[in-house]
Amino acid sequence: AQTVTQSQPEMSVQEAETVTLSCTYDTSESDYYLFWYKQPPSRQMILVIRQEAYKQQNATENRFSVNFQKAAKSFSLKISDSQLGDAAMYFCAYRSALTGGGADGLTFGKGTHLIIQP
Amino acid sequence: DGGITQSPKYLFRKEGQNVTLSCEQNLNHDAMYWYRQDPGQGLRLIYYSQIVNDFQKGDIAEGYSVSREKKESFPLTVTSAQKNPTAFYLCASSIDQLGLYTWSNQPQHFGDGTRLSIL
């Protein structure tokens, strides 16, 4: 079974600065997908960014980018120019690509609470 | 607008009672999922369904049941056998087409959740 670990329960950053959230995972598979989801106080889960394991290039979505290190099984999220609206819980998630045709769900880490200081 | 609708937003269960959480989607997605979220925890998979009339147990299925009679609907019943049902429940859906290798990269879209508490 796969596991996802987020070692930082809480992070704090000044508005307009850069912050990096860490995520490591454990798997014996070579094909999989990784995601970062944001959960604001409204509790809705919002996709931030995704990465295919077979792609060497790190994914980028505007101010959000990842540092994907497949050999180290690391998938960190960098948020540049932090904004007050970025304050939320951030969850790292894993999904296998080899499910024998079944649509297995996501395996989530426990989350990192990101605080933005004005 | 397309999306996922969960109802009710808040639900209370009495001892020994079964309760059903509703999840409806109009995204024409094939697959649907139920997750449970406890304080300080990530989401854990309860059940998922890839196609109508078929569903599979996730990591914590004991004490729960589901049905998938329509593509749009995936209700979750929390039975009296679930001894610790107090949690936040999230429903999700995604485009997962049978036979296609590349479906796994499709993101899951989530509803707004239902908070279940014990009276």
Side-chain angles (χ1 to χ4, degrees), chain B residues 3-64:
Chain B
I4 301 174
T5 301
Q6 287 188 242
S7 62
K9 192 169 184 177
Y10 300 96
L11 187 59
F12 297 91
R13 195 191 89 169
K14 293 181 181 178
E15 200 71 36
Q17 185 183 40
N18 293 353
V19 293
T20 297
L21 285 62
S22 171
C23 178
E24 304 276 335
Q25 56 99 359
N26 61 3
L27 299 167
N28 199 32
H29 283 174
D30 303 294
M32 297 186 74
Y33 310 81
W34 275 106
Y35 292 91
R36 169 178 172 144
Q37 185 177 25
D38 294 284
Q41 301 290 324
L43 281 65
R44 291 182 292 166
L45 182 66
I46 305 173
Y47 267 99
Y48 65 95
S49 169
Q50 191 178 13
I51 197 170
V52 174
N53 293 324
D54 184 64
F55 47 83
Q56 304 295 327
K57 292 182 179 180
D59 300 321
I60 55 165
E62 185 174 352
Y64 300 97

Side-chain angles (χ1 to χ4, degrees), chain B residues 81-102:
Chain B
Q82 173 49 248
K83 298 306 179 187
N84 184 23
T86 297
F88 187 64
Y89 291 85
L90 283 158
C91 178
S93 70
S94 66
I95 298 174
D96 285 327
Q97 295 167 293
L98 282 169
L100 294 182
Y101 180 81
T102 57

Side-chain angles (χ1 to χ4, degrees), chain A residues 15-80:
Chain A
E15 193 176 2
E17 296 193 345
T18 296
V19 64
T20 298
L21 309 183
S22 66
C23 172
T24 58
Y25 56 93
D26 187 25
T27 184
S28 59
E29 299 173 338
S30 58
D31 293 316
Y32 49 87
Y33 301 92
L34 297 164
F35 305 83
W36 278 99
Y37 279 87
K38 168 185 176 181
Q39 187 179 44
S42 66
R43 304 299 296 269
Q44 187 178 22
M45 295 291 283
I46 302 166
L47 177 68
V48 175
I49 200 166
R50 62 183 169 183
Q51 174 81 40
E52 290 88 347
Y54 62 84
K55 289 187 178 179
Q56 292 186 335
Q57 186 173 9
N58 289 325
T60 300
E61 290 286 343
N62 300 313
R63 297 183 294 107
F64 298 88
S65 62
V66 298
N67 183 5
F68 174 50
Q69 303 288 330
K70 190 173 183 179
K73 296 180 183 174
S74 171
F75 183 60
S76 60
L77 174 70
K78 185 172 84 171
I79 305 174
S80 304

